[in-house]
Amino acid sequence: AQSVSQHNHHVILSEAASLELGCNYSYGGTVNLFWYVQYPGQHLQLLLKYFSGDPLVKGIKGFEAEFIKSKFSFNLRKPSVQWSDTAEYFCAVKQASGSARQLTFGSGTQLTVLP
Amino acid sequence: EPEVTQTPSHQVTQMGQEVILRCVPISNHLYFYWYRQILGQKVEFLVSFYNNEISEKSEIFDDQFSVERPDGSNFTLKIRSTKLEDSAMYFCASTLENIQYFGAGTRLSVL
């Protein structure tokens, strides 16, 4: 079974600071990787995904993530955060093949951006 | 943009009571899921549903839980006899092209 670790539980940044949120997974096979964001009172929203190809993927709102297969990592980055990025961020993994389609989530990282 | 909708947003119930959480997946999606998140813990998979039957379920999804698609639009999660430890946020999701779209969740509080 796969598992996902997000090592930062709460990150506090000032506006314009750069962001990097760590995500590591454990699974022996091929995976699909996701970052979701949850703004207060709203649904989980897909930020970006990696299925195959270029390991550097770009998502919405200026976010990007890099898949490093040798490190089993899929870290989320943004060069300059805004106050509106305050939210909880979840990394998730899914087996790329086979019948299991469910997502396995990390514990989430609460990002607070100070104006 | 189409959304997964969940009702109610907050459900309070007494221990031992039955609850039904409702979800309307996005209309052309084929796979449906329930997840839950106990306060302070990870979002955990409960069950997936395809072609009117359960396709995967976790060890959490015991005999107290059931899912149903009673008509062409709704997807429900029933908990037969709620326990205190069922208190959590319950998320519904539906899938198109390997991407899961989530509802805003139902917060279930068992007293």
Side-chain angles (χ1 to χ4, degrees), chain A residues 1 5-6 11 17 21-22 33-35 39 44 64 73 96-97 99-100 106:
Chain A
S5 295
Q6 291 181 244
V11 172
L21 301 182
L33 295 155
F34 306 83
W35 276 97
Y39 300 102
L44 284 160
E64 65 179 32
S73 69
S97 59
S99 60

Side-chain angles (χ1 to χ4, degrees), chain A residues 31-34 36 46 48-52 94-96 100-103, chain B residues 26-33 50 93-101:
Chain A
V31 294
N32 299 146
L33 295 155
F34 306 83
Y36 282 86
L46 182 68
L48 47 76
K49 64 188 185 298
Y50 173 80
F51 287 171
S52 63
K94 183 181 82 64
Q95 294 176 31
R101 293 172 173 263
Q102 64 269 25
L103 294 173
Chain B
I26 298 173
S27 63
N28 59 335
H29 290 191
L30 299 177
Y31 281 85
F32 314 117
Y33 306 80
Y50 172 72
S94 63
T95 296
L96 183 66
E97 296 178 353
N98 278 320
I99 297 170
Q100 294 192 19
Y101 295 83

Side-chain angles (χ1 to χ4, degrees), chain B residues 51-70:
Chain B
N51 202 24
N52 282 321
E53 60 183 26
I54 291 172
S55 55
E56 297 280 337
K57 60 181 182 177
S58 71
E59 61 274 11
I60 303 167
F61 194 87
D62 61 21
D63 292 344
Q64 291 298 312
F65 292 90
S66 62
V67 288
E68 198 176 40
R69 190 158 161 80

Side-chain angles (χ1 to χ4, degrees), chain A residues 29-113:
Chain A
T30 306
V31 294
N32 299 146
L33 295 155
F34 306 83
W35 276 97
Y36 282 86
V37 60
Q38 188 176 30
Y39 300 102
Q42 296 189 26
H43 61 277
L44 284 160
Q45 180 181 352
L46 182 68
L47 266 183
L48 47 76
K49 64 188 185 298
Y50 173 80
F51 287 171
S52 63
D54 188 343
L56 184 62
V57 292
K58 294 191 184 300
I60 61 171
K61 307 188 184 199
F63 286 90
E64 65 179 32
E66 184 175 13
F67 171 51
I68 303 179
K69 190 175 180 180
S70 60
K71 294 185 178 179
F72 297 89
S73 69
F74 190 56
N75 292 353
L76 181 71
R77 300 196 292 245
K78 185 170 183 179
S80 176
V81 294
Q82 301 171 307
W83 176 79
S84 57
D85 293 324
T86 294
E88 189 150 19
Y89 292 80
F90 294 92
C91 181
V93 65
K94 183 181 82 64
Q95 294 176 31
S97 59
S99 60
R101 293 172 173 263
Q102 64 269 25
L103 294 173
T104 299
F105 284 87
S107 53
T109 297
Q110 176 65 47
L111 172 65
T112 301
V113 180

